[in-house]
C-alpha cells in the first residue's frame, strides 16, 4: 500500500533533519574553533617541531576532500576496533576539517598585525605570552571575526557530505523523503531553501562585520 | 662607571656585517646623538641596546644587566631600557591611558590604582592629560609620539632610546615632540637618540657619535665635531646636511 505524504509531512521530516544539520554545524564549529586555536598557536610557535606538526595538520585536512576524511574516520576507526556511529564520525570529521581552515584563517589575521606591535610590546619587557594575550590577539580577533563568521557558512554546507556515511541530516532526510514520495524536485527545492535560510543570514552578518571593522583578512 | 657600556659589538645580517666592533659608553644623565648616513648601522646599534636585535659578538651592559651573544631572555635588559620608535607603535585597541598603564600593570605587577596614577603623571609630563580616554587613532602624529614617550617612561627606565622619533611626523609637529625630549634631557634622563635633526642634536646632545660603515667613526662634543670634523667622512656628511 502506498503511503500518501502531505507537504507538511515532508516539511516536518526535513525540519527534523535540519535540526541535526544545525547541531552538527554548531558542534563542529565550536570544537573546530577550540582545536583550531591550539593549532594556530603551534603554527606560530618559535619551536620548529611544533610548527611542522601544525603545518602538516593544516595541509592534510586542506589538501584532501572532506568526504575522504569522513570515510577514513568512519571506516578507519571501525577497523581499529572502535565502533563509531555516523554521528560521531561526522562530528569528528567536520571538527578536524574546521580546525584546519580556522587555524589558517587565524594565522593570517595574527600575521597581519604589524611587526611594530610585537617590537613595541617586546621593548616594554612583555613576555611572548603576554605579548600575544594583551597586544596581538585582541587586535587579531577584531580582523578575524568577519572571515570566521564567513567560514561558518562552509561548515553548514559541509554537513551535507556527512549524508554519504549515513548520518541523517538535512540532505539525507531529503534523499529518503524524495525516494518515498517520488517528488525529488519539490523535496530538494525545500532542502536547498533550508540550507539557504541557514547560510544567508551568516553571509549577511559576515559582510556587516567586515564593513563594521573596515577590514578583510 | 658608565650606565651603558658597549664593548666590541658585532652584528651581521646574513653576509652583511652591519656592526663591526662597536665600543661606546654612556654615562648617567648623558644625551647621546647618533648620526650617520642611511645604512651606517645607527638604528641597528640602538635596537641591540634594547635586545630587539640579537648580537653576534661582544657585550652590552646597562646598569648591571648584561647581554652577550646567544642571550635568549632580553627582559632584564628591557626593564632598564625604554624605547620610542619612528612609527609610534601605540596599541590601537587600547585607550591612551591603557597604553601607558598596560606594561606597568602586566610586567611590573603594579597595583591598578597606582598604575593609573603613574599613567596620569606621565601623560601630564608630555602635556596630554586630557587625552587619557582617547584612542590613538584620534590623535595627531605628534600627540601619538608623545604618548609613546609617556608609555616608555611609565616603566621608569634608566635610559631611553629614541629611533628617529620625528622622521614620520609632519614638519609642524616636530617641535612639540622635540620639546618633550628636551625637557627629559633637562630633567637628567639618559638618552640615546638616532636623529636627523642636527640643530637639535647640537643643542641638546652632550656627545655626538658619528657612525660610518658599521663603526663609530668619530665621537665627541657636538660643537667641536660640527665646527671641526676630524675625518673627511664626517665633514662630507655635515656638508651634505647643510646643503639639504
Amino acid at each position: 500500500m502506498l503511503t500518501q505524504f502531505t507537504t507538511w509531512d515532508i516539511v516536518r521530516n526535513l525540519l527534523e533533519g535540519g535540526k541535526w544539520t544545525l547541531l552538527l554545524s554548531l558542534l563542529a564549529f565550536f570544537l573546530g574553533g577550540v582545536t583550531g586555536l591550539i593549532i594556530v598557536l603551534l603554527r606560530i610557535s618559535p619551536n620548529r617541531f611544533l610548527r611542522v606538526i601544525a603545518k602538516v595538520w593544516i595541509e592534510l585536512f586542506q589538501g584532501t576532500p572532506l568526504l575522504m576524511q569522513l570515510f577514513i574516520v568512519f571506516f578507519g576507526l571501525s577497523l581499529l576496533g572502535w565502533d563509531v556511529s555516523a554521528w560521531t564520525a561526522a562530528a569528528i570529521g567536520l571538527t578536524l576539517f574546521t580546525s584546519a581552515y580556522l587555524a589558517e584563517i587565524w594565522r593570517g589575521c595574527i600575521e597581519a598585525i604589524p611587526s611594530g606591535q610585537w617590537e613595541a610590546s617586546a621593548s616594554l619587557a612583555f613576555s611572548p605570552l603576554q605579548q600575544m594575550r594583551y597586544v596581538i590577539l585582541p587586535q587579531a580577533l577584531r580582523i578575524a571575526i568577519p572571515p570566521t563568521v564567513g567560514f561558518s557558512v562552509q561548515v553548514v554546507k559541509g554537513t551535507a557530505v556527512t549524508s554519504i556515511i549515513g548520518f541523517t541530516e538535512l540532505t539525507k532526510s531529503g534523499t529518503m523523503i524524495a525516494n518515498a514520495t517520488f517528488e525529488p524536485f519539490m523535496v530538494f527545492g525545500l532542502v536547498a531553501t533550508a540550507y539557504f535560510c541557514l547560510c544567508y543570514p551568516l553571509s549577511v552578518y559576515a559582510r556587516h562585520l567586515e564593513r563594521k571593522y573596515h577590514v578583510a583578512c | 662607571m658608565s650606565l651603558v657600556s658597549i664593548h666590541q659589538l658585532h652584528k651581521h645580517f646574513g653576509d652583511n656585517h652591519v656592526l663591526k666592533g662597536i665600543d661606546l659608553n654612556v654615562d648617567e644623565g648623558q644625551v647621546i646623538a647618533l648620526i650617520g648616513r642611511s645604512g651606517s648601522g645607527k638604528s641597528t646599534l640602538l635596537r641591540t641596546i634594547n635586545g630587539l636585535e640579537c648580537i653576534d659578538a661582544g657585550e652590552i651592559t646597562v646598569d648591571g644587566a648584561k647581554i652577550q651573544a646567544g642571550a635568549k631572555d632580553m627582559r632584564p635588559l628591557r626593564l632598564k631600557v625604554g624605547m620610542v620608535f619612528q612609527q609610534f607603535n601605540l596599541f590601537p585597541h587600547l585607550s591612551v591611558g591603557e597604553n601607558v598603564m598596560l606594561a606597568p600593570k602586566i610586567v611590573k605587577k603594579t597595583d591598578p590604582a597606582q598604575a593609573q596614577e603613574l599613567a596620569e603623571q606621565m601623560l601630564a609630563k608630555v602635556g596630554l592629560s586630557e587625552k587619557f580616554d582617547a584612542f590613538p587613532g584620534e590623535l595627531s602624529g605628534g600627540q601619538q609620539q608623545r604618548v609613546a614617550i609617556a608609555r616608555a617612561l611609565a616603566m621608569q627606565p634608566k635610559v631611553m632610546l629614541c629611533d628617529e622619533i620625528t622622521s614620520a611626523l609632519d614638519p609642524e609637529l616636530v617641535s612639540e615632540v622635540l620639546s618633550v625630549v628636551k625637557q627629559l634631557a633637562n630633567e637628567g634622563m639618559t638618552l640615546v637618540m638616532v636623529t636627523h635633526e642636527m640643530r637639535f642634536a647640537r643643542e641638546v646632545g652632550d656627545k655626538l657619535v658619528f657612525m660610518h660603515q658599521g663603526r663609530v667613526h668619530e665621537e665627541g662634543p657636538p660643537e667641536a665635531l660640527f665646527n671641526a670634523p676630524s675625518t673627511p667622512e664626517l665633514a662630507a656628511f655635515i656638508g651634505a646636511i647643510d646643503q639639504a
Side-chain angles (χ1 to χ4, degrees):
Chain A
M1 193 180 80
L2 282 174
T3 308
Q4 291 298 308
F5 286 89
T6 63
T7 306
W8 170 239
D9 287 332
I10 295 171
V11 169
R12 189 165 47 82
N13 281 292
L14 286 180
L15 283 176
E16 180 64 20
K19 181 183 81 183
W20 288 105
T21 289
L22 193 63
L23 273 175
L24 181 60
S25 303
L26 289 172
L27 189 73
F29 197 70
F30 175 72
L31 293 179
V34 173
T35 316
L37 186 62
I38 296 167
I39 299 295
V40 76
L41 291 176
L42 299 183
R43 184 75 180 83
I44 57 169
S45 138
N47 185 312
R48 187 166 178 273
F49 178 66
L50 297 178
R51 281 203 309 273
V52 169
I53 289 178
K55 195 159 189 293
V56 168
W57 179 283
I58 291 167
E59 297 291 345
L60 196 68
F61 291 108
Q62 284 195 338
T64 52
L66 174 60
L67 183 58
M68 292 306 118
Q69 295 164 21
L70 289 169
F71 279 162
I72 287 169
V73 172
F74 189 52
F75 298 116
L77 290 180
S78 301
L79 281 175
L80 291 173
W82 288 307
D83 189 20
V84 288
S85 65
W87 157 251
T88 309
I92 294 173
L94 261 181
T95 294
L96 299 178
F97 169 83
T98 305
S99 71
Y101 277 88
L102 285 181
E104 201 59 354
I105 290 171
W106 293 343
R107 180 184 67 86
C109 295
I110 288 171
E111 288 182 355
I113 304 301
S115 61
Q117 295 292 304
W118 286 97
E119 291 193 344
S121 47
S123 78
L124 290 163
F126 282 82
S127 70
L129 272 179
Q130 289 169 337
Q131 286 179 283
M132 195 55 106
R133 162 74 181 79
Y134 295 101
V135 178
I136 305 300
L137 281 185
Q139 295 182 63
L141 189 68
R142 186 182 150 95
I143 53 177
I145 291 171
T148 303
V149 174
F151 179 73
S152 65
V153 171
Q154 300 303 320
V155 178
V156 174
K157 290 195 288 190
T159 58
V161 182
T162 64
S163 64
I164 298 175
I165 58 166
F167 180 57
T168 312
E169 38 65 71
L170 188 55
T171 300
K172 182 76 175 174
S173 303
T175 308
M176 287 157 59
I177 296 165
N179 288 341
T181 60
F182 302 108
E183 293 200 67
F185 186 75
M186 183 184 76
V187 172
F188 286 115
L190 286 171
V191 168
T193 307
Y195 276 117
F196 185 77
C197 289
L198 284 174
C199 294
Y200 184 66
L202 288 172
S203 297
V204 170
Y205 187 52
R207 277 201 298 276
H208 164 74
L209 291 172
E210 213 164 284
R211 275 198 305 274
K212 185 176 170 188
Y213 292 129
H214 305 290
V215 287
C217 197
Chain B
M1 193 182 151
S2 302
L3 181 66
V4 179
S5 174
I6 298 171
H7 179 63
Q8 277 304 301
L9 183 67
H10 287 265
K11 168 77 188 166
H12 294 77
F13 286 123
D15 293 335
N16 190 7
H17 197 173
V18 186
L19 300 177
K20 301 170 184 167
I22 303 283
D23 287 304
L24 185 68
N25 292 311
V26 184
D27 294 333
E28 191 160 1
Q30 216 173 19
V31 178
I32 306 285
L34 283 175
I35 61 167
R37 290 184 193 278
S38 178
S40 59
K42 52 193 189 305
S43 277
T44 305
L45 172 60
L46 203 71
R47 290 165 61 84
T48 60
I49 304 174
N50 193 263
L52 288 177
E53 300 290 353
C54 55
I55 60 177
D56 298 328
E59 63 179 39
I60 301 171
T61 310
V62 180
D63 192 35
K66 187 184 284 187
I67 290 291
Q68 289 173 316
K72 290 267 186 286
D73 189 6
M74 304 291 189
R75 282 177 294 167
L77 184 74
R78 288 170 179 160
L79 283 169
K80 295 173 187 285
V81 183
M83 183 149 184
V84 186
F85 301 85
Q86 186 177 345
Q87 296 294 341
F88 330 133
N89 297 342
L90 293 180
F91 307 135
H93 60 297
L94 300 177
S95 70
V96 163
E98 288 165 335
N99 260 276
V100 182
M101 282 188 284
L102 187 66
K105 273 200 301 193
I106 304 303
V107 178
K108 285 191 157 177
K109 314 283 182 216
T110 306
D111 170 74
Q114 279 182 329
Q116 170 149 357
E117 199 179 318
L118 181 67
E120 283 165 359
Q121 283 171 13
M122 294 306 142
L123 285 170
K125 193 187 268 280
V126 299
L128 287 172
S129 295
E130 77 286 3
K131 299 292 184 187
F132 193 92
D133 294 319
F135 278 82
E138 299 165 357
L139 306 182
S140 71
Q143 289 173 327
Q144 288 192 52
Q145 195 60 293
R146 283 149 65 197
V147 174
I149 293 171
R151 183 176 66 176
L153 286 175
M155 288 296 280
Q156 295 166 319
K158 293 280 180 184
V159 54
M160 284 274 280
L161 311 175
C162 303
D163 190 5
E164 298 188 34
I165 62 171
T166 56
S167 298
L169 297 176
D170 291 334
E172 73 273 18
L173 302 175
V174 169
S175 64
E176 64 181 85
V177 173
L178 291 184
S179 66
V180 169
V181 177
K182 193 172 172 181
Q183 178 197 332
L184 289 179
N186 290 338
E187 288 171 3
M189 172 59 82
T190 311
L191 289 163
V192 182
M193 51 188 190
V194 170
T195 183
H196 293 302
E197 302 286 339
M198 292 304 145
R199 196 182 306 163
F200 182 71
R202 203 167 174 162
E203 186 186 346
V204 180
D206 297 312
K207 182 157 85 172
L208 198 69
V209 175
F210 173 62
M211 289 196 60
H212 183 66
Q213 294 181 344
R215 291 190 173 88
V216 173
H217 203 68
E218 219 174 311
E219 61 181 300
E223 280 304 319
L225 260 61
F226 274 113
N227 293 332
S230 55
T231 61
E233 287 81 10
L234 179 56
F237 179 71
I238 292 171
I241 286 169
D242 284 344
Q243 281 174 6

